[in-house]
Amino acid sequence: MQQGRAAPVRSGLSPRVIALAGVMIAVVFVATRLIQVPIPGGYVHLGDIAIYFAAFTFGPLVGAIAGALGPTLADLSSGFANYAPGTFVIHGLQGLVAGLIGWRAGLWRMALAGLVGGVILVGGYFIYDFFILRVGTGTAIADVWFNLGQAATGAIIAIPLVLAVRKAYPPIETWAARRAWQEEIR
Amino acid sequence: MSARYDLYAPGNSWLHRLDPRVKLILATLAALLVLLWSSLPLLLAALALAHLLLMLARYPRGLVAGVWRALAPLLILIVVLWPIFDRRGELIVLALGPLIVTGEALLRGLATALRIAALSFTLLLWLGTTDQRSLVRSLVRLGLPFSLGMAMTIGLRFIPTFANVFQTVSEALQARGLDLPPRGLRRLRAMLPILVAALVTALRMSEQLGWTLAARGVGAPVRRTTLRDLAMRPVDWLALAAGLAAGFALLWLTLVEGLGRALR
Amino acid sequence: MMDATAPREPEEPLIRFERFTFRYPPPVAGAAPVTALEEITLEVAAGEFLGITGSTGSGKSALCLAIAGLIPQETGGIIGGRVVVAGWDTRYTPVPQLATRVGIVFQDPESNLVGLSVEDEVAFGPENLGIPPAEIGRRIDWVLAVTGLAHERLRPSAHLSGGQKQRLAIAAVLAMQPQILVLDEPTAQLDPLGKQDVIAAIERLRQQLGRRLTIVLVESDTELLSRFADRVAVLHAGRIALEGAPRAVFSRTEELAALGVRVPPLAELAAWLNRALGAELSFLSLNEAEAALARLLEQRGPMGPNDHPPLRESREGHRAGRTSQLHRASAGAFTAVSHQPNSLVDIQDVRYRYGGVYPALDGVSLRIEASEFLALVGPNGSGKTTLAKHCNGLLRPESGRVLVDGQDTRITRVGQLARTVGYAFQNPDHQLFLPSVAEELAYGPRNLGLHGPELRARVEGALERFGLVHLRDRHPTLLGRGLRQLVAIAAVYAMSPRLLILDEPTGGLDGRTTGRLMAALDELVVEGQSVLLITHDLRLVAEHARRVVLMHEGRILGDGSPREILTDEALLEQAGMMPPTIARLARSLARYGIPPALTVAEFAEALLARLTTSAPIPPREGEPA
């Protein structure tokens, strides 16, 4: 048996993870900016679903990168640059924590991750609205309402989505793992 | 067909040519100031200044209007909701049962909305005149790890690609009888098959992309070079020095002397 | 980096596979590893141009990945034997180091590019290798010139066409100055023009670098390989099944067909004539074929006035087809019998602009009846897909109207129209999302309200028709590209639409799978369903379609039988296209009395008739099948 990798110490992430993180940034961006669904009392976007998907499937690292950069780029590109710093921290944290709790996990741990992620999302934006942007009590509360919708739909849809993708495309379960090779025994 | 995914407008103005790091640093400083201010005239002035600079940089009016349109719901919400929770001030403009709206509260709401708008447009000075590539490069030069910068570049490059994938998958499944209800949780649930197929497609792409990165020498144990590295020209240094001086002076005035902290 | 610096013997081959075996890691936990390459022994000399072909799943891509060291370093899995590239063992030489010797370009243009602009893309590799900026600048100038992208230097790569993207990928790899260029089906996803561009770039490379660059080109288009390669290897089930000079390999047409490889039409023609005449003809290019056959015909002496073989269609009819969109000559027999009050699809003077701005359809009228096999051809951007999407309501006309079985698409839901019109998209991955083939096939019919025995019957019928019965419980997403394509098409077929639209279905398919698909489509048409095939492959059109609609710039340029459209060089040229190889050959030999021909069979018969004295040419039944 030979040792798998002969590469020297690599700086930073492996090309596979860089590519994965990059594609997930794009996925989260598109889900946030371009896929919006009307619900009673407003609309939701699919950004949180995509972040949870990244975190549950690929773990805290990819979850945090895609969570931090995807929605931040979406804010920067749509005139909501004022929210970008908050978004970077809040969604990054959401992806990180959801990945720590729900990576390759079963239904209940994913649900817990969704709950904790929801608290980060709703609480985080309230703090950002109220103390940093100082938009006023009314608007901060209105934003809580919007983010509750986001958090709830995010978790409710992301969990069946993750389960469906695992069923449809099994290699995804080990996607971000290190690839080691072996010599065949002849 | 050609949706816009960023606010950058190509151009060759002094603002476009300014080093992106200088723009980022100064825009951040300015944003910080605006965040600290509550003064209606000062915020109005900041907003006007941002628009003046955008105009001088020949930034398209259509895009400016687009940002206003995007912000409008939030701004209106702030102006409308502010007075409900703020009853300071003598002058009562409106009294409807328990709802009392004072003149001062109205002005405070307006000032808050202006702060949000000023913040967005201050940052637009940086975003609107910096292309994506300079943006990523400046972040890397300011300390973002290179591999994250690369992930960001790939993300930016794949936005139109993935948007297309999603659109096509959605059409392909509708052609197979997928019925998308117009709204609500039912629509979200009905979108699951679309998301599954689109995500698997994106993953396949990411695998090949990872191979491409490795085969282009990512991770080579040598010091990376850069074809067109950012280089500070004297005028960039000058702008940075002047901007920082003005910014910190204002910051000092704001924090110590209370400039702009009050409504008027 | 064990033997990374081992000196290389001058005579040593640049690439050497030594009994190399590779098995991918199991896709599902607990399953067996998937064998991709089995005991491959192969040497490639410096400066050689090696062509690789084989059916889908034969291991072509794995071979490419192994040369670049991506197998096993990035894929994992199990290997046996070894691959030595430029003296470096690919197991222990890191991929970035191998990248200084090997450049690799993949099939999918999107995942070949990582930069935001053309210049960034090209600079990326050399930057990673630490090349000084001034030198990078010089390299960029050269590689952009040789790939024909010099004018696009500062453009965002997202705005490039598919062909430009692939040329950019080649340029980006060349900028690292490799000794070996590995191209894994670089033109498979391109339209003919994009393909021509890429081929021209490879030709320029060959001219400028000659033997200083070793090229390994994987292609399912064997016509292309026969033009370029010094040597061709045909893979089958992970092993090398045939190997040798193109002329030798492509003359073994029967073996090639058995291996699932598309045989180049000229090689097929040569084999056909050799069988009939006992000759030893062999030609790889059109010029060669023309010269050889002209010699053959001249030996028969000059043509007498009565020698002229009867043309099947008068020149007058032929001309009319071009200008007045002559309607229905070939499929007329069928439509007349099953004439219905409503056309299956009736497109009336439709105009459409994307986003209300970019014109895509500019006054198109078209009727599709039952039992038609209609091919929609034209360059990219001519409006083919836009027109097809109007047939099932995915797009709705801005002006004019579309009636599907009498229902106006503007007021009918896509889900409702899906009962009549099925649409299989180009990329199968855009459709597959369920964990088994059977479930995937049941999805569409279930949406139409079918269940119980009726639903099962639909699924079984589709599985059988496309030869997928043994794959019933497999994961569609884990099948090879060709099979995924068949599953996606079968899933649409299972809805039993009266019109089945297929958008470029054969792009990723090998000869055998293409044959299987086309046979199934031919059966459908005989049974009364209609097929609308969007394709760039004029050879397929010539052999299967009964009606061809040629589009250009959002209008219908021609509408008639394959013979009328595909032999009309002037008409095709208006759309920037060329007749299929055999038609061009027939035309160039017209002075010897060879009539216009579209298929190898037809041409061979005509030629043989012409050669074997002045005996009357036997009448042919119907259109070529």
Side-chain angles (χ1 to χ4, degrees):
Chain A
M1 286 275 176
Q2 284 284 352
Q3 157 67 41
R5 270 174 187 267
V9 184
R10 285 167 189 264
S11 56
L13 309 172
S14 74
R16 187 179 180 84
V17 173
I18 294 173
L20 179 63
V23 168
M24 287 317 294
I25 289 172
V27 167
V28 174
F29 180 100
V30 170
T32 306
R33 264 299 297 281
L34 306 176
I35 315 177
Q36 299 176 337
V37 172
I39 56 161
Y43 73 93
V44 290
H45 60 70
L46 272 64
D48 294 279
I49 299 174
I51 294 172
Y52 285 137
F53 172 81
F56 294 165
T57 323
F58 307 118
L61 180 66
V62 174
I65 296 174
L69 292 176
T72 304
L73 289 172
D75 275 352
L76 291 178
S77 70
S78 59
F80 286 97
N82 46 355
Y83 274 105
T87 298
F88 182 86
V89 175
I90 294 164
H91 281 295
L93 207 58
Q94 179 194 16
L96 177 79
V97 172
L100 286 173
I101 302 174
W103 184 15
R104 293 184 294 198
L107 184 65
W108 294 110
R109 276 197 24 221
M110 283 198 280
L112 177 67
L115 194 68
V116 176
V119 170
I120 293 173
L121 179 71
V122 175
Y125 273 113
F126 184 80
I127 291 169
Y128 190 74
D129 274 334
F130 199 81
F131 293 104
I132 300 192
L133 289 184
R134 294 183 291 136
V135 292
T137 321
T139 308
I141 290 173
D143 212 18
V144 165
W145 174 247
F146 170 81
N147 286 318
L148 272 177
Q150 280 300 133
T153 55
I156 290 171
I157 302 297
I159 294 172
L161 175 65
V162 169
L163 296 176
V165 175
R166 280 183 196 165
K167 262 180 91 176
Y169 193 57
I172 204 168
E173 306 233 25
T174 54
W175 193 272
R178 229 171 112 255
R179 306 271 144 159
W181 55 271
Q182 297 173 345
E183 294 272 4
E184 189 163 57
I185 303 142
R186 291 197 175 174
Chain B
M1 287 290 263
S2 80
R4 290 199 58 97
Y5 301 114
D6 66 4
L7 293 169
Y8 170 68
N12 195 30
S13 71
W14 61 274
L15 206 51
H16 284 88
R17 289 192 309 261
L18 196 61
D19 188 283
R21 287 165 294 181
V22 175
K23 274 189 276 192
L24 173 56
I25 293 167
L26 295 184
T28 310
L29 190 58
L32 190 64
L33 281 169
V34 168
L35 265 181
L36 291 170
W37 289 344
S38 300
S39 153
L40 198 57
L42 207 52
L43 286 167
L44 212 51
L47 195 56
L49 181 65
H51 277 74
L52 181 71
L53 291 175
L54 284 171
M55 220 172 74
L56 289 176
R58 297 183 183 281
Y59 189 74
R61 277 185 206 162
L63 287 175
V64 172
V67 172
W68 274 111
R69 262 197 305 277
L71 286 174
L74 177 66
L75 301 182
I76 291 169
L77 199 68
I78 292 170
V79 173
V80 170
L81 290 183
W82 186 280
I84 300 175
F85 294 89
D86 183 358
R87 296 186 176 179
R88 282 173 291 180
E90 314 281 285
L91 178 68
I92 291 172
V93 181
L94 182 75
L96 249 174
L99 181 71
I100 294 166
V101 175
T102 64
E104 178 161 349
L106 267 183
L107 289 180
R108 279 183 192 281
L110 194 62
T112 306
L114 284 181
R115 185 166 63 238
I116 299 302
L119 196 57
S120 267
F121 281 96
T122 307
L123 293 172
L124 186 61
L125 286 172
W126 159 57
L127 286 169
T129 59
T130 310
D131 62 32
Q132 294 179 334
R133 149 188 201 264
S134 314
L135 190 82
V136 176
R137 200 150 282 179
S138 61
L139 290 175
V140 169
R141 286 297 299 269
L142 288 172
L144 186 77
F146 178 74
S147 49
L148 283 186
M150 203 182 324
M152 205 167 151
T153 306
I154 290 173
L156 290 167
R157 208 191 87 53
F158 259 74
I159 287 166
T161 308
F162 186 73
N164 268 334
V165 167
F166 184 86
Q167 173 69 24
T168 315
V169 169
S170 166
E171 288 179 352
L173 291 180
Q174 284 182 63
R176 278 169 71 195
L178 169 70
D179 197 21
L180 276 182
R183 62 180 61 81
L185 203 57
R186 286 176 56 230
R187 182 177 175 91
L188 279 170
R189 264 210 304 272
M191 287 170 89
L192 272 175
I194 303 176
L195 293 173
V196 174
L199 284 168
V200 173
T201 306
L203 279 182
R204 280 185 203 283
M205 288 178 163
S206 96
E207 176 157 65
Q208 236 190 57
L209 208 55
W211 293 340
T212 301
L213 289 176
R216 298 270 193 87
V218 171
V222 292
R223 208 185 146 77
R224 217 175 169 276
T225 50
T226 311
L227 173 67
R228 281 173 199 260
D229 206 359
L230 300 174
M232 293 283 282
R233 300 162 300 162
V235 61
D236 293 318
W237 285 114
L238 196 69
L240 181 65
L244 282 181
F248 279 115
L250 283 170
L251 194 62
W252 185 78
L253 286 174
T254 303
L255 291 176
V256 179
E257 305 287 325
L259 171 76
R261 302 304 291 270
L263 178 59
R264 292 188 181 85
Chain C
M1 258 191 277
M2 282 168 55
D3 41 5
T5 49
R8 196 158 56 81
E9 297 292 319
E11 271 95 42
E12 190 168 332
L14 198 52
I15 306 170
R16 197 171 70 234
F17 282 74
E18 297 173 7
R19 295 184 60 207
F20 187 73
T21 295
F22 174 67
R23 303 180 214 288
Y24 279 106
V28 192
V34 185
T35 301
L37 297 173
E38 190 83 63
E39 298 272 327
I40 295 273
T41 297
L42 178 72
E43 293 189 343
V44 186
E48 199 177 1
F49 194 127
L50 175 69
I52 308 268
T53 191
S55 58
T56 47
S58 61
K60 302 182 301 252
S61 293
L63 197 80
C64 296
L65 294 174
I67 298 173
L70 294 163
I71 283 177
Q73 297 184 40
E74 291 290 327
T75 58
I78 297 173
I79 65 167
R82 61 175 193 156
V83 182
V84 181
V85 173
W88 289 340
D89 187 326
T90 59
R91 291 173 298 180
Y92 307 117
T93 315
V95 173
Q97 187 184 338
L98 278 165
T100 59
R101 297 285 181 275
V102 187
I104 183 166
V105 173
F106 300 105
Q107 184 184 123
D108 175 17
E110 292 300 332
S111 16
N112 272 325
L113 303 183
V114 296
L116 289 167
S117 75
V118 169
E119 188 185 74
D120 281 0
E121 190 66 50
V122 180
F124 184 72
E127 286 175 343
N128 288 327
L129 298 179
I131 310 290
E135 167 66 14
I136 297 179
R138 278 193 293 277
R139 291 188 185 184
I140 293 177
D141 291 339
W142 182 75
V143 298
L144 289 185
V146 79
T147 50
L149 290 170
H151 297 292
E152 318 291 345
R153 186 165 181 152
L154 296 176
R155 270 182 82 189
S157 35
H159 294 178
L160 300 179
S161 71
Q164 286 174 321
K165 280 180 179 162
Q166 287 301 66
R167 280 184 284 150
L168 176 56
I170 294 174
V173 156
L174 286 176
M176 298 171 77
Q177 298 196 335
Q179 298 171 0
I180 303 162
L181 179 61
V182 179
L183 304 163
D184 185 1
E185 304 212 42
T187 66
Q189 298 189 12
L190 305 181
D191 64 306
L193 283 176
K195 191 168 171 171
Q196 281 307 320
D197 285 347
V198 172
I199 295 168
I202 298 176
E203 259 171 348
R204 273 197 301 277
L205 260 183
R206 246 350 227 178
Q207 281 163 11
Q208 295 197 15
L209 289 180
R211 302 270 147 190
R212 274 173 292 163
L213 186 67
T214 307
I215 299 182
V216 177
L217 172 66
V218 172
E219 257 300 341
S220 46
D221 180 350
T222 44
E223 216 174 338
L224 196 62
L225 282 187
S226 59
R227 254 174 68 189
F228 282 115
D230 301 320
R231 189 158 55 109
V232 174
V234 184
L235 292 189
H236 186 68
R239 295 173 187 273
I240 295 178
L242 281 176
E243 192 190 340
R247 202 172 291 279
V249 170
F250 290 125
S251 64
R252 296 155 84 165
T253 49
E254 278 165 25
E255 279 167 81
L256 288 174
L259 294 171
V261 173
R262 246 181 268 189
V263 181
L266 293 176
E268 202 179 314
L269 178 65
W272 191 301
L273 296 176
N274 290 346
R275 271 199 305 278
L277 301 171
E280 299 229 344
L281 292 169
S282 154
F283 24 77
L284 294 175
S285 73
L286 207 54
N287 288 343
E288 251 179 68
E290 189 190 332
L293 295 180
R295 262 199 310 281
L296 206 62
L297 287 161
E298 262 159 23
Q299 283 164 13
R300 232 204 109 236
M303 195 172 70
N306 299 328
D307 262 359
H308 211 289
L311 286 176
R312 282 208 289 140
E313 261 155 347
S314 72
R315 277 329 245 174
E316 303 338 297
H318 180 58
R319 286 286 132 198
R322 149 210 277 233
T323 42
S324 68
Q325 301 190 359
L326 174 104
H327 207 263
R328 301 308 50 246
S330 45
F334 278 89
T335 44
V337 179
S338 57
H339 197 73
Q340 292 172 338
N342 290 331
S343 293
L344 193 45
V345 174
D346 188 357
I347 298 170
Q348 301 171 357
D349 194 30
V350 163
R351 275 160 223 280
Y352 184 81
R353 289 171 301 173
Y354 278 104
V357 185
Y358 304 96
L361 291 181
D362 187 12
V364 170
S365 296
L366 183 73
R367 288 163 83 108
I368 303 173
E369 310 291 345
S371 234
E372 284 213 58
F373 198 135
L374 191 156
L376 197 52
V377 300
N380 269 14
S382 59
K384 301 186 302 277
T385 299
T386 310
L387 181 62
K389 283 183 177 171
H390 274 84
C391 294
N392 74 339
L394 281 175
L395 295 176
R396 284 160 189 176
E398 256 177 49
S399 73
R401 60 178 192 160
V402 178
L403 300 179
V404 174
D405 197 18
Q407 311 164 89
D408 193 322
T409 59
R410 279 173 303 185
I411 51 170
T412 317
R413 292 205 335 272
V414 177
Q416 175 66 27
L417 295 169
R419 292 169 191 279
T420 314
V421 180
Y423 196 126
F425 278 63
Q426 181 170 7
N427 183 344
D429 299 338
H430 290 154
Q431 306 175 59
L432 304 176
F433 70 99
L434 284 163
S436 80
V437 171
E439 283 173 78
E440 198 69 61
L441 266 50
Y443 176 77
R446 190 176 282 133
N447 281 336
L448 299 183
L450 266 65
H451 51 82
E454 212 180 341
L455 178 64
R456 275 198 297 279
R458 283 282 183 88
V459 172
E460 291 311 312
L463 285 171
E464 271 165 37
R465 171 138 278 165
F466 291 92
L468 299 168
V469 177
H470 61 294
L471 301 174
R472 177 197 312 264
D473 298 318
R474 295 273 295 276
H475 278 89
T477 52
L478 298 183
L479 300 172
R481 163 88 198 218
L483 288 173
R484 295 208 298 280
Q485 189 90 53
L486 280 188
V487 172
I489 293 167
V492 177
Y493 165 79
M495 299 170 76
S496 96
R498 286 166 56 202
L499 172 65
L500 179 58
I501 302 176
L502 299 110
D503 194 343
E504 257 342 304
T506 58
L509 299 189
D510 58 41
R512 179 182 304 129
T513 323
T514 303
R516 199 202 283 177
L517 171 64
M518 296 312 290
L521 297 182
D522 286 337
E523 281 169 35
L524 289 188
V525 174
V526 170
E527 288 163 19
Q529 283 174 269
S530 290
V531 169
L532 191 155
L533 177 69
I534 303 176
T535 187
H536 293 304
D537 188 340
L538 295 186
R539 188 176 173 194
L540 279 186
V541 175
E543 287 169 2
H544 297 273
R546 297 182 185 170
R547 176 180 170 196
V548 181
V549 171
L550 172 66
M551 292 199 67
H552 181 56
E553 292 182 346
R555 294 164 186 269
I556 292 182
L557 210 57
D559 180 350
S561 70
R563 178 167 312 281
E564 285 163 353
I565 305 296
L566 297 185
T567 57
D568 193 334
E569 207 158 342
L571 182 70
L572 288 170
E573 200 181 339
Q574 277 184 55
M577 294 165 62
M578 272 195 297
T581 312
I582 294 294
R584 271 150 63 201
L585 183 62
R587 196 179 172 284
S588 68
L589 293 172
R591 62 179 187 279
Y592 298 103
I594 300 292
L598 283 177
T599 64
V600 170
E602 198 184 3
F603 180 88
E605 275 179 42
L607 186 82
L608 292 175
R610 192 77 196 88
L611 287 172
T612 51
T613 71
S614 49
I617 292 169
R620 233 168 276 114
E621 313 90 51
E623 287 294 312

